[in-house]
């Protein structure tokens, strides 16, 4: 910038840390093992102006140290939920980083179910990976108090009937979609929720919310994806008093009845074309009144 007139600038919101840390822990306390499979991002916030403006790295934790710390504290701690492990990590970095005052930790946990074994309890040390993911974000500004958000990602659900889309604005100039009272409803649920309490049994709450979303998806006729989204939120809040509000993102994965009549074949809602894009997308928070 020797030939350029420098303007006055200042450092805005910033953070640094380590991302995409692949952590896998096996709990071997008993012959029946448990596993946690988590992708981790830790970001620290604080007084990092000198590093940005002056190139002065004094007092900064190396991101390599952050990665090593995640694995080491997973060995020494991580005895319960991912959410509690996030608190452990952030408290550690605020305590040990001279310039660190807060930060956030994000987790994507891949779930594993037990392979079949003797009896109904499943295999003691054999597992099969599941599709839905457990997501977590933990934030702090002081290393002592924490805001926790948990959620679900990539939960693909579908019902072949008991869904429709009718009663919408039909006299608009560009409307071409016919009304339907019996269609496939398919979506991929992304959800996240905030907590009313400072701490709880996060794993138990997540499982209750996850189970309730699946039950509620099929327990009613769906006049719209919006109405089902609202019902899911209502059910989660009714089942989980620990949750203060819940957010959903639900794309409408269109399954369109294919025109077989032109070939002399009857199609009684049996053959569909799965249209990848574009698609409807619904997002909303459902909150306690």
């Amino acid at each position: 910038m020797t030939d350029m007139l420098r303007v006055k600038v200042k450092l805005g919101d910033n953070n640094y840390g380590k991302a995409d840390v692949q952590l896998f822990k096996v709990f071997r306390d008993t012959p029946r093992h448990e596993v946690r499979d988590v992708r981790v991002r830790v970001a620290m916030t604080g007084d990092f102006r000198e590093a940005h403006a002056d190139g002065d790295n004094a007092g900064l934790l190396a991101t390599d140290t952050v990665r090593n710390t995640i694995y080491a504290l997973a060995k020494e701690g991580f005895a319960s939920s991912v959410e509690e492990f996030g608190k452990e990590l952030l408290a550690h970095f605020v305590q040990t980083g001279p310039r660190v005052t807060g930060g956030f930790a994000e987790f994507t946990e891949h779930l594993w179910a037990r392979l079949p074994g003797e009896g109904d309890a499943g295999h003691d040390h054999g597992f099969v990976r599941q599709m839905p993911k457990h997501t977590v974000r933990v934030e702090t500004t002081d290393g002592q108090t924490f805001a926790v958000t948990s959620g679900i990602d990539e939960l693909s659900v579908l019902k072949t009937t008991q869904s429709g889309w009718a009663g919408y604005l039909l006299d608009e100039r560009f409307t071409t979609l016919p009304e339907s009272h019996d269609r496939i409803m398919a979506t991929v649920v992304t959800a996240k929720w905030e907590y009313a309490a400072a701490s709880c049994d996060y794993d138990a709450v997540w499982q209750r919310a996850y189970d309730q979303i699946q039950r509620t998806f099929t327990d009613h006729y769906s006049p719209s994806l919006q109405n089902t989204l609202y019902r899911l939120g209502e059910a989660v809040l009714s089942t989980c008093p620990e949750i203060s509000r819940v957010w959903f993102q639900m794309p409408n994965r269109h399954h369109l009845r294919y025109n077989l009549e032109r070939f002399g074949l009857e199609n009684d809602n049996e053959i569909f074309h799965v249209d990848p894009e574009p698609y409807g997308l619904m997002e909303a928070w459902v909150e306690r009144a």
Side-chain angles (χ1 to χ4, degrees), residues 256-269:
L256 306 178
R257 182 180 175 278
Y258 198 73
N259 181 10
L260 295 179
E261 284 77 8
R262 53 185 168 168
F263 308 126
L265 299 172
E266 183 179 353
N267 186 0
D268 186 18
N269 281 345

Side-chain angles (χ1 to χ4, degrees), residues 2-60:
T2 55
D3 298 327
M4 184 182 299
L5 180 63
R6 296 195 181 201
V7 300
K8 290 185 177 181
V9 300
K10 65 178 182 178
L11 183 65
D13 291 343
N14 65 96
N15 64 75
Y16 84 99
K18 207 71 165 180
D20 209 20
V21 178
Q22 305 291 332
L23 168 64
F24 194 96
K25 181 169 183 177
V26 181
F27 295 81
R28 300 176 178 271
D29 299 342
T30 69
R32 186 173 176 81
H33 295 169
E34 303 284 346
V35 297
R36 305 301 291 250
D37 179 4
V38 191
R39 187 173 76 244
V40 186
R41 177 191 175 190
V42 171
M44 298 169 290
T45 58
D47 183 10
F48 308 139
R49 192 195 68 80
E50 286 82 359
H52 287 271
D54 305 325
D56 182 359
N57 298 327
L60 294 192

